Amino acid sequence: MIRSFITTFVAFLMTAHTAFAAVEIQEVTSKSGIKAWLVEEHSIPFVALEIRFKGGASLDAEGKRGAINLMTALLEEGSGDMDAQAFAQARDALAADFSFDVNDDSLQISARFLTDTQDEAIALLRQAILKPLFEQSAIDRVKSQVQSIIASDLKDPNSIASETFARLAYGQHPYASNINGTQQSVAALTQADLFEAKDRTMALDRLYVGASGDITPDALAFLLDDLLLGLPESGAPMPAQVTQSLQAGVTVVPFETPQSVALFGHNGLSQDDPDFFAAFILNTILGGSGFEARLMKEVREERGLTYGIGSYLVPKDYAAMYLGQVSSANDRIAEAVEVTKQVWADTARNGVSEDELSRAQTYLTGAYPLRFDGNGPIANIMVGMQMQGLPIDYIPTRNDKVEAVTLEDVNRVAAELLRADDLHFVVVGQPMGLQSTN
C-alpha cells in the first residue's frame, strides 16, 4: 500500500512538472477585439474555459446587497426556452460542466466541454449568459437557499468573526458587508433587480478569459465572439479604494460556545507592491506553512493553546490586509492572543533566519508546478495572471522571483509590515480575560 502510494505520488509530481514545463501561453484576439490567453493541449479532446468579470459582488447597487450573488446563482436555473431541469439535462447530455460563482472582486464562469460537442456546449453556455429567465419560481427557491445560508452564518462563530471584522475595517465600502446580503435585502429583490445586477457586472469592459486544451487560436477567436458578443459594452463603475479603519485592540462578540474564535490583522500589501514576494515568503515562515510556521510552533506545539493557527495576505482589489485566525478554549484564548502578538513583534524585531528563508523558498518553488495539473487549473491561473496585470511570460519566471528574495529583503519587510501594536482581534465566544477595548 505504501509503495503504491509513493509510486502514484511520484507519477503525479512528474505529470505536474511536465505540465508546468509545457505551459506556453498565446494571446488570442477575436475579430471584435475580445482577448484571451490560450495554452494548446491536443492530447485529450477536452477544453477548459475560464471567464472573469472584474468587480464582482462589490458592484451591487445601493440598497440591493445580495443581488449579484443571487443573480449568479440563478444563471443555470433556466434560460432561453429551457427551465432549470431542461437546462441541466441538455448540459449533462453533452458531458459538459458549467459553474458560476462570485466573490468581492469578480464574477467567475467556468466551463468544461468535449471537443466533439464544443459548438453545442458553447451555444448552451451563451444561452445561460445572455438569456437567463430569472423565473419567479426559481427566484423564490434560490432566495430560500441563500436565506438559509445567511441564517446559518448567524450561528457560526467563524462567519460572525469574519463579518464583524469586515464591518469594523471597511466602514461603508462594499467589502464591509456579506455578498449574500441580509434576510431583508434578499427578500426585497425582484426580477428587475436581477437583470440590472447582471448588466452591472457582466460587461465586456471588465472581461478576462483563459482557455486550455484541445482548441486552436483561430477556433478560440471565433468562440469568443460567438459566446460573448451581446453582453453590454460597459457595466457599473468600479468601487473606490478603501483604507481599513481598524484601531489596535480587541472586539469581543459574546457567543455561547466552549471555544472562542479570533480573527486578527492589520493593513497588508497590494499584489503589485515591489515587496510582495518578500512578504509572501515572510508569511510562509510566520503563519502560512502549517506545522513549520512560527505561529503554529509557538501557539500550538510549545503551549498547546490551539489545534490550528495561521496567517495570510489578503490583497483584494481595493484594499490590502494581513490577517490571521486562531481558536482556543475560552479560558486560554487570552493567552493565545498574547502569544500571537509576541511572535508577531519578535519576527518584526529580530527577523527570520537564513535556514527559514531557504526552507520557505524550497517549499514555494516546489509547490508551484503542482498547481498546473490539468487544463482547468491552467486556464484559471491564466485568468488570475491577467487580472493581476502580470506579463504573459510570468509562469517560467515566477520561481526565479521567489529565489531572488534575500534575507535582507525579508527582514526589512518584516520590520515594516509586521506591526504588533496595530493588530486588532475580533474574538467570538466567551473569552476569559479579554474585554472589548473600543
Side-chain angles (χ1 to χ4, degrees):
M1 176 68 73
I2 294 175
R3 179 175 295 176
S4 175
F5 170 79
I6 292 173
T7 301
T8 301
F9 183 68
V10 169
F12 172 74
L13 288 177
M14 292 176 64
T15 301
H17 277 271
T18 299
F20 173 70
V23 173
E24 295 182 6
I25 302 175
Q26 307 171 67
E27 183 170 86
V28 174
T29 304
S30 75
K31 187 175 181 180
S32 72
I34 298 173
K35 294 185 182 298
W37 285 6
L38 167 66
V39 171
E40 289 187 75
E41 172 49 65
H42 298 288
S43 62
I44 301 175
F46 159 77
V47 179
L49 185 68
E50 291 288 336
I51 299 168
R52 298 289 184 274
F53 296 96
K54 192 179 182 69
S58 294
L59 300 179
D60 271 329
E62 186 175 355
K64 306 292 184 182
R65 191 57 165 156
I68 292 174
N69 176 68
L70 181 62
M71 177 275 297
T72 305
L74 283 159
L75 288 174
E76 269 194 298
E77 298 294 326
S79 59
D81 59 358
M82 297 179 178
D83 62 15
Q85 183 177 5
F87 184 91
Q89 288 174 344
R91 179 201 61 213
D92 294 346
L94 297 170
D97 179 69
F98 307 142
S99 63
F100 304 84
D101 201 3
V102 68
N103 58 36
D104 278 330
D105 290 326
S106 69
L107 188 151
Q108 306 111 37
I109 300 173
S110 301
R112 310 287 184 266
F113 48 87
L114 299 174
T115 308
D116 288 346
T117 56
Q118 174 182 303
D119 291 346
E120 296 91 337
I122 291 303
L124 190 62
L125 181 59
R126 174 182 171 84
Q127 180 179 291
I129 293 172
L130 294 181
K131 299 179 180 179
L133 293 177
F134 299 148
E135 289 183 319
Q136 193 59 49
S137 59
I139 293 173
D140 292 341
R141 173 166 43 80
V142 178
K143 267 189 182 182
S144 179
Q145 295 168 358
V146 173
Q147 289 175 316
S148 177
I149 293 171
I150 294 170
S152 177
D153 285 347
L154 294 174
K155 302 175 183 178
D156 176 51
N158 289 292
S159 297
I160 295 170
S162 180
E163 292 196 28
T164 302
F165 195 100
R167 186 172 64 252
L168 294 172
Y170 300 123
Q172 300 301 310
H173 195 273
Y175 288 166
S177 59
N178 194 301
I179 67 171
N180 291 323
T182 65
Q183 298 282 10
Q184 295 74 23
S185 69
V186 172
L189 293 173
T190 66
Q191 183 189 65
D193 293 329
L194 301 180
F195 280 111
E196 181 192 10
K198 178 179 176 300
D199 288 345
R200 291 181 69 84
T201 188
M202 294 176 66
L204 295 174
D205 67 339
R206 60 210 53 207
L207 173 67
Y208 299 84
V209 183
S212 180
D214 186 24
I215 189 168
T216 65
D218 287 345
L220 177 60
F222 179 83
L223 181 155
L224 294 172
D225 284 348
D226 189 39
L227 176 62
L228 298 167
L229 286 186
L231 287 171
E233 289 292 330
S234 60
M238 294 295 176
Q241 289 289 137
V242 58
T243 301
Q244 70 91 4
S245 55
L246 273 176
Q247 302 296 315
V250 176
T251 297
V252 174
V253 181
F255 189 82
E256 290 190 13
T257 175
Q259 180 169 274
S260 291
V261 170
L263 180 64
F264 57 91
H266 55 49
N267 281 330
L269 289 179
S270 63
Q271 202 139 2
D272 60 359
D273 191 291
D275 286 327
F276 188 81
F277 272 103
F280 187 52
I281 293 172
L282 169 66
N283 179 64
T284 301
I285 296 167
L286 177 61
S289 58
F291 288 99
E292 290 297 311
R294 286 187 171 193
L295 285 171
M296 185 71 87
K297 289 179 179 178
E298 293 297 325
V299 182
R300 173 177 168 152
E301 294 183 18
E302 294 297 322
R303 297 169 177 83
L305 298 174
T306 183
Y307 284 111
I309 182 172
S311 61
Y312 40 97
L313 294 161
V314 186
K316 292 188 177 185
D317 285 354
Y318 302 103
M321 296 288 289
Y322 194 178
L323 303 179
Q325 190 159 4
V326 63
S327 58
S328 187
N330 285 326
D331 62 349
R332 306 202 73 186
I333 188 67
E335 185 181 358
V337 166
E338 187 58 33
V339 174
T340 298
K341 291 168 67 176
Q342 290 173 4
V343 174
W344 212 265
D346 179 73
T347 306
R349 185 170 53 251
N350 298 315
V352 305
S353 69
E354 190 73 56
D355 180 61
E356 287 177 310
L357 172 60
S358 176
R359 285 188 285 115
Q361 288 172 317
T362 298
Y363 167 74
L364 291 172
T365 55
Y368 188 58
L370 303 183
R371 296 172 58 190
F372 298 82
D373 62 348
N375 287 332
I378 291 171
N380 190 46
I381 289 168
M382 287 191 292
V383 172
M385 288 168 57
Q386 293 173 70
M387 296 187 75
Q388 294 165 27
L390 298 174
I392 201 167
D393 64 349
Y394 170 79
I395 290 172
T397 66
R398 183 269 194 183
N399 278 353
D400 293 338
K401 291 179 173 64
V402 172
E403 292 173 341
V405 174
T406 67
L407 186 64
E408 181 182 3
D409 293 331
V410 174
N411 288 338
R412 174 181 54 79
V413 170
E416 296 170 356
L417 178 61
L418 300 177
R419 300 181 299 277
D421 290 340
D422 288 345
L423 285 171
H424 191 97
F425 290 79
V426 171
V427 183
V428 179
Q430 298 172 308
M432 297 173 60
L434 284 177
Q435 294 181 336
S436 294
T437 57
N438 46 35

